[in-house]
Amino acid sequence: MFCKVRSLGLHGVTGYEVMAECDLSNGLPAFDVVGLPDAAVKEARDRVRSAVKNCGFRFPVSRITVNLAPADRRKAGTVYDLPMLVGILAAGGQLPPPDPRAAFVGELSLAGALRPVTGMLPMALAARRAGISALYVPADSAAEATLAGSLTVYPVESVGQLVAHLTGEAPISPAAAWVPPAHTAGGPDFADVKGQDQVKRALEIAAAGGHNIAMIGPPGSGKSMLARRLPSILPDLSEREALEATEIHSVMGLTSREEPMVVRRPFRAPHHSISSTGMAGGGSPVPRPGEISLAHNGVLFLDELPEFHKDVLECLRQPLEEGKVQISRAAASEVFPSRFMLVCAMNPCKCGWYGHPGGRCRCSEGEVKKYLGKLSGPLLDRIDLYVEVPALEFDELSRKPKAESSAQIKERVDAARAVQAGRFGAAGPDCNAHMGPRELQEFCPLDSACQAVMKGAFDRMGLTARSYDRILRVARTIADLEGSADIQVPHLAEAIQYRESAYFRR
């Protein structure tokens, strides 16, 4: 007696089809699972056996062999419980053979209830690519599965409910496609921030062009407060961006029945004690995404930048350039998307008060250089804007009128992004920060006056080719915010200014 049941698995953040081949044969009773299963898959034997018995079915007294094909790819997790149970019951004649166009995914409790699984969206997308038309999943994972589209998703609460459906006794109604709420809860607003107009201007430019930014200032000047309000002025996620971000969050178990989709741009703020594996991703035997991938299409905020371990900061260099990170291990190699905005905040010295007019800093010049020397030149070169965040005076803090709101700033950011979308087209880069050499040459020409300004800055500041390109991208964004078709001298001068922080002149 033999039965094949289609299922799905995960490899990194990508789903793929798995065939559960169930065979019942004569011999001493045994239950073997083959096909490179990990410990969680092997433990499915006990969960399946208990679920079958506790749901009123007869567990076959036979030699049971379940092969998870392709057998050369390691299987992990608890998603294969349900296809194993369906295959065993069908092979034993207690269930009709499943529809070859249907797939089953789910973890079983000992009582036969279905528990949600991680990575449902990438598996549902893989099912669609494989030509599967019906997908049976735990009820708590059904909303996420509907995001893949073109699938009939059946939310299953228990084994008994599934059997009643497959036998035609009580059909399960397909899950309705999940629709994001019309209005999402607002986050922190820039209207709460008093003063710091020059920093808000820099953050607006960063949001309009997708640029990396670093804020330097003494403790309590509002660096973290400003950074946490940046998502409120970023453009809304497109459907493609939302699905990409949701795939990664789903694999890490960060989605839920109530919020199956990432509808706001991710904002990740790891602690400075994080390891390089936690930042870039990794693990064994199958690498998993890290913080830079969880920040994909969003913001990665590093507070107290010099306090991060050197190897953690250096692992950001490739993702900042390429928008992806490759994790290579002896058992597997994975490429994870990691296109994010890097936002950094730091003190100018160890005590935090270097350059303060009150003379509170007691650090020597050597100590200041040592503190800032923790940051490598190649990493600093990948940051587009540097802005100083001064300590606020009493008069600014005591002012009553509210500052400009995030909604007002976002209108200008959205208008600039619309200009960029029209310029690059659907096949081009998403924003100015992602322009390549061809786009820079086509959309960022400099007239003779701008050439003279750029040459003076290049010689005076000792710019690299990378920083030259980044200045052009920032200048293009400033011109877009001003509604200018060409980069002009004021736009270029402002872009150069953001690389001339007093703390990073070299």
Side-chain angles (χ1 to χ4, degrees):
M1 295 173 285
F2 177 78
C3 181
K4 293 195 300 184
V5 180
R6 299 177 81 174
S7 186
L8 301 153
L10 280 175
H11 190 75
V13 294
T14 306
Y16 66 99
E17 184 181 2
V18 174
M19 187 68 74
E21 302 172 338
C22 303
D23 179 69
L24 276 59
S25 60
N26 296 327
L28 293 175
F31 190 171
D32 296 317
V33 180
V34 296
L36 284 183
D38 72 351
V41 179
K42 292 178 180 178
E43 290 172 352
R45 296 174 298 185
D46 297 318
R47 292 192 294 271
V48 170
R49 181 183 289 108
S50 296
V52 168
K53 292 180 178 179
N54 289 328
C55 289
F57 298 98
R58 176 179 53 82
F59 192 80
V61 184
S62 308
R63 183 173 183 82
I64 303 172
T65 303
V66 177
N67 177 45
L68 300 175
D72 62 344
R73 181 172 287 185
R74 183 173 294 277
K75 315 302 183 307
T78 58
V79 298
Y80 307 109
D81 292 7
L82 187 59
M84 286 186 194
L85 181 142
V86 171
I88 290 171
L89 292 183
Q94 300 182 72
L95 269 182
D99 187 334
R101 297 168 300 176
F104 299 80
V105 171
E107 176 187 339
L108 292 170
S109 74
L110 298 184
L114 266 72
R115 294 193 172 110
V117 296
T118 58
M120 190 67 255
L121 176 57
M123 288 190 287
L125 292 170
R128 190 181 69 181
R129 292 192 298 267
I132 293 168
S133 58
L135 191 57
Y136 294 85
V137 302
D140 287 346
S141 300
E144 185 177 325
T146 63
L147 300 177
S150 304
L151 287 172
T152 302
V153 179
Y154 293 98
V156 183
E157 298 279 357
S158 65
V159 171
Q161 183 190 31
L162 176 62
V163 170
H165 172 84
L166 296 177
T167 57
E169 296 177 10
I172 300 174
S173 300
W178 187 81
V179 179
H183 300 285
T184 56
D189 197 291
F190 271 99
D192 304 328
V193 182
K194 295 182 179 180
Q196 307 295 13
D197 293 335
Q198 79 284 4
V199 187
K200 295 177 186 176
R201 167 67 175 175
L203 288 170
E204 180 180 337
I205 295 169
H211 303 290
N212 304 321
I213 183 171
M215 295 178 286
I216 309 103
S221 56
K223 301 183 296 294
S224 299
M225 184 180 186
L226 286 157
R228 294 186 181 280
R229 281 152 177 77
L230 179 60
S232 67
I233 63 172
L234 289 175
D236 297 331
L237 283 169
S238 66
E239 183 179 358
R240 176 187 59 81
E241 291 174 327
L243 288 175
E244 289 176 356
T246 302
E247 285 187 83
I248 302 169
H249 282 69
S250 175
V251 168
M252 300 299 290
L254 300 178
T255 55
S256 64
R257 183 172 188 166
E258 294 75 23
E259 295 184 359
M261 188 176 189
V262 177
V263 295
R264 292 178 292 274
R265 291 196 178 270
F267 183 88
R268 305 294 300 182
H271 190 260
H272 59 74
S273 61
I274 190 173
S275 67
S276 58
T277 299
M279 181 67 79
S284 180
V286 179
R288 289 165 62 82
E291 287 291 334
I292 61 175
S293 295
L294 288 169
H296 182 59
N297 291 328
V299 175
L300 179 67
F301 175 48
L302 303 184
D303 201 3
E304 306 297 344
L305 184 66
E307 302 300 330
F308 284 80
H309 297 292
K310 186 176 181 63
D311 61 331
V312 174
L313 295 179
E314 295 307 303
C315 75
L316 298 174
R317 287 161 58 174
Q318 178 204 12
L320 284 172
E321 288 292 324
E322 301 180 6
K324 60 184 179 181
V325 58
Q326 180 165 348
I327 307 297
S328 298
R329 299 291 183 265
S333 179
E334 288 292 335
V335 177
F336 299 128
S338 55
R339 180 75 69 184
F340 57 89
M341 278 182 62
L342 178 63
V343 179
C344 307
M346 58 178 291
N347 297 327
C349 65
K350 189 69 175 178
C351 76
W353 297 103
Y354 179 75
H356 191 272
R360 298 176 63 176
C361 180
R362 296 294 180 265
C363 299
S364 66
E365 289 295 327
E367 290 173 328
V368 173
K369 289 183 178 179
K370 181 180 179 181
Y371 183 73
L372 298 178
K374 296 179 180 180
L375 307 175
S376 70
L379 176 63
L380 295 176
D381 209 27
R382 287 166 166 81
I383 298 176
D384 303 297
L385 300 96
Y386 292 93
V387 59
E388 297 175 32
V389 187
L392 291 176
E393 301 295 334
F394 175 80
D395 291 341
E396 291 179 294
L397 290 172
S398 59
R399 282 192 306 180
K400 296 296 183 183
K402 272 200 168 185
E404 194 175 25
S405 69
S406 293
Q408 293 171 297
I409 302 174
K410 188 175 184 298
E411 287 181 5
R412 298 194 294 269
V413 170
D414 287 342
R417 285 290 184 108
V419 171
Q420 295 165 45
R423 176 189 302 133
F424 302 132
D430 297 332
C431 56
N432 287 337
H434 302 158
M435 283 192 291
R438 184 182 63 81
E439 289 85 10
L440 283 171
Q441 185 174 4
E442 182 178 355
F443 301 117
C444 301
L446 299 181
D447 59 22
S448 57
C450 289
Q451 288 276 14
V453 172
M454 180 63 91
K455 184 179 187 304
F458 196 92
D459 296 338
R460 182 179 72 256
M461 299 167 59
L463 299 177
T464 65
R466 179 187 291 114
S467 54
Y468 174 86
D469 289 347
R470 290 185 177 273
I471 288 175
L472 288 181
R473 295 185 182 107
V474 174
R476 179 67 268 173
T477 299
I478 296 172
D480 291 340
L481 283 169
E482 300 298 325
S484 174
D486 300 315
I487 296 175
Q488 299 175 7
V489 170
H491 309 145
L492 188 61
E494 185 176 1
I496 293 171
Q497 169 200 318
Y498 289 123
R499 294 197 74 87
E500 281 196 298
S501 168
Y503 304 116
F504 287 100
R505 287 174 185 158
R506 292 179 179 270

